[in-house]
Amino acid sequence: MRQLLVFALARIKRLSVVEADDGVDGLRKLAAGKFDLIITDINMPIMDGLKLVKRIRSDAVHKDVPIIIITTEGSSEDRQRAMSLGANAYITKPIQAPQVIAKVKELLKIE
Amino acid sequence: MNDERPKKRAKDKRTSDAPVDLTKEREAFVRTFLRKGVELTEDLLRENDVLQSQLSSLQIENARLRAQVASDDAIRELLRTVEALEQEKKELMQRSRELEQAKDKHQGRYTEIEQELNDLANLYVASFQLHVALAPRRVLRNVKELLAQLVGAESFVIYIVEPDGKHAQPVGSEGIAESELGPVQLGAGKIGESLATGIASMQTAAPLTGGTLEEPLAVIPLQADGRCVGAIAILSLLAQKTSWASVDEELFHLLGAHAATALIAASLFSRTSGPAAALAGLREQLHLE
């Protein structure tokens, strides 16, 4: 439900959002620009979210960019795995816009 | 009496008649007078000193008393100021409490509005996703996504009523093996009842776990043209979701009212050769020609 996320993020001022269809598309778009924050699902076609996190953490330009994972996978093992790979936050679905907004603001250090 | 007077005069005369004694007497008197005068003067001077000292003490005492009176006035003034400040503090505290209450009220309202906004965004996205697709598979996929990602359903089945109006067949599912699924008779079991009556059912006892095909956590009848043409049965929710959210019921209403029409539209559209063909004859149908 990218649309819902985009709605939520639109409520944070001075934030522009670039959408990607899957992990590979995400890496392609990352290579074309510089980003302050990355939000990804785990279950995605072609390249899943965990592989994407791993690739981003080995990328010189974006290795320090905060990553939020939003997923239906709610087990503590999934969470630990994602965090050990380098994710900065782990949010479980169903998506709650206030929760996402609060986490984005916290990671971007904005009021 | 008259006889004695001359005698006294005689005696006085006798005394004054002795000049030497008189002189001595006079000198003695003068000395005595002067000594007394000196003594008196000295007494007066001492008295004056004492009086001067007392005056000085009194002046000091007077100054002290004046200072004390002034000080008392200042204290009284200060007390009045303190009292006024206390009153002002009390008023400010009251105002602060009122503002705190207003802040809490506004904070509560803000949270409510945030929640409403969030719910509306969910409903908007759900509505958009239902009607953006014109391929039956895509509509079905979007319904599944809505159930999984907005409601947080882990396993669920979507049924469509057969043309005979007696049974409903599963057309999509998630989190349950297809081998477990089969047709549902209208009126039989929880799902069949909802299909027959068009009335939704939702379990409310938390935690919402352990739903089955016989006892689903929720059944949402799908309506089209005032008739129940299908149902969504939610069997279990994601582990992290233990109760229904405020928006869930609204989402169920929306799915109930729109999912079937979206599927009907997609089904009809799939039998045409494209949007233009699907719209052919619309003007006649609208009685515009």
Side-chain angles (χ1 to χ4, degrees):
Chain A
M1 293 286 110
R2 284 208 315 253
Q3 208 176 3
L4 194 60
L5 268 181
V6 173
F7 273 137
L9 296 173
R11 287 162 62 194
I12 303 173
K13 285 175 188 167
R14 299 191 299 277
L15 204 73
S16 58
V17 180
V18 175
E19 296 178 58
D21 293 327
D22 51 59
V24 173
D25 190 31
L27 284 175
R28 200 165 32 239
K29 281 173 176 159
L30 274 176
K34 197 166 184 311
F35 295 85
D36 299 308
L37 182 86
I38 296 159
I39 300 176
T40 180
D41 201 334
I42 288 183
N43 299 319
M44 294 191 292
I46 307 175
M47 178 189 283
D48 70 32
L50 295 178
K51 280 183 189 156
L52 178 66
V53 172
K54 211 171 169 183
R55 289 283 295 272
I56 292 167
R57 287 296 173 244
S58 60
D59 173 65
V61 180
H62 292 102
K63 65 180 166 58
D64 296 321
V65 175
I67 301 174
I68 299 174
I69 286 183
I70 300 180
T71 179
T72 53
E73 314 299 328
S75 74
S76 56
E77 292 81 15
D78 292 322
R79 181 185 293 267
Q80 277 174 3
R81 187 153 174 245
M83 299 307 269
S84 67
L85 284 171
N88 299 81
Y90 193 91
I91 298 173
T92 52
K93 291 179 184 176
I95 296 168
Q96 293 293 318
Q99 192 187 3
V100 176
I101 291 169
K103 190 50 78 178
V104 169
K105 284 182 171 179
E106 181 194 320
L107 289 171
L108 292 179
K109 296 181 175 63
I110 53 178
E111 287 297 313
Chain B
M1 282 179 75
N2 291 336
D3 294 341
E4 282 181 7
R5 194 173 289 161
K7 284 180 188 174
K8 193 174 187 276
R9 279 187 188 147
K11 191 183 176 184
D12 290 346
K13 197 175 179 180
R14 253 192 331 268
T15 305
S16 62
D17 285 344
V20 177
D21 292 344
L22 186 62
T23 304
K24 284 179 183 174
E25 202 173 321
R26 192 183 65 204
E27 284 172 358
F29 173 77
V30 168
R31 275 195 297 275
T32 303
F33 181 80
L34 288 173
R35 196 181 69 245
K36 292 273 185 192
V38 167
E39 283 173 4
L40 184 65
T41 305
E42 283 171 353
D43 283 347
L44 283 171
L45 283 171
R46 273 195 298 276
E47 186 72 11
N48 185 44
D49 283 347
V50 168
L51 288 171
Q52 284 285 353
S53 173
Q54 284 178 346
L55 178 64
S56 178
S57 295
L58 284 171
Q59 279 175 338
I60 289 166
E61 179 71 5
N62 186 31
R64 193 183 64 78
L65 286 170
R66 276 179 184 280
Q68 188 169 344
V69 168
S71 172
D72 286 351
D73 284 347
I75 286 167
R76 272 193 290 276
E77 186 60 35
L78 278 172
L79 284 172
R80 274 196 294 274
T81 308
V82 166
E83 200 176 334
L85 286 170
E86 281 286 339
Q87 183 61 30
E88 197 177 335
K89 182 186 150 195
K90 205 171 157 185
E91 284 166 11
L92 284 170
M93 292 290 280
Q94 178 62 26
R95 184 86 185 110
S96 170
R97 275 193 296 274
E98 285 168 7
L99 287 171
E100 194 69 34
Q101 283 168 354
K103 192 191 101 184
D104 288 348
K105 194 176 156 190
H106 288 133
Q107 186 66 43
R109 188 74 190 113
Y110 176 80
T111 307
E112 274 175 30
I113 290 168
E114 275 280 321
Q115 187 60 49
E116 280 172 24
L117 198 60
N118 185 41
D119 292 353
L120 285 171
N122 275 272
L123 293 170
Y124 171 79
V125 170
S127 176
F128 183 88
Q129 291 295 325
L130 281 175
H131 295 293
V132 75
L134 280 170
R137 278 183 185 280
R138 181 74 191 273
V139 174
L140 206 59
R141 198 183 77 190
N142 286 353
V143 171
K144 285 182 179 181
E145 267 201 37
L146 291 174
L147 289 167
Q149 306 216 20
L150 295 190
V151 177
E154 187 182 46
S155 60
F156 52 85
V157 189
I158 302 161
Y159 294 93
I160 293 295
V161 175
E162 291 282 277
D164 66 6
K166 293 176 181 170
H167 296 87
Q169 291 284 354
V171 292
S173 65
E174 195 69 49
I176 183 167
E178 280 189 23
S179 57
E180 291 183 46
L181 301 175
V184 171
Q185 192 182 339
L186 268 69
K190 282 272 173 73
I191 300 169
E193 270 178 36
S194 281
L195 281 163
T197 61
I199 298 170
S201 71
M202 279 174 85
Q203 276 192 30
T204 50
L208 294 166
T209 54
T212 61
L213 280 169
E214 291 71 35
E215 289 289 333
L217 299 181
V219 184
I220 308 138
L222 305 180
Q223 309 275 355
D225 200 24
R227 286 184 2 205
C228 180
V229 295
I232 296 169
I234 296 175
L235 311 181
S236 66
L237 301 174
L238 295 171
Q240 61 269 22
K241 177 152 179 154
T242 54
S243 61
W244 300 116
S246 59
V247 72
D248 287 343
E249 207 166 338
E250 296 296 325
L251 277 169
F252 293 162
H253 280 305
L254 187 136
L255 282 167
H258 293 259
T261 51
L263 282 167
I264 289 168
S267 177
L268 291 172
F269 182 78
S270 67
R271 292 171 207 167
T272 66
S273 55
L279 288 170
L282 182 67
R283 286 180 63 83
E284 290 99 337
Q285 287 164 350
L286 293 171
H287 306 295
L288 296 174
E289 284 184 355

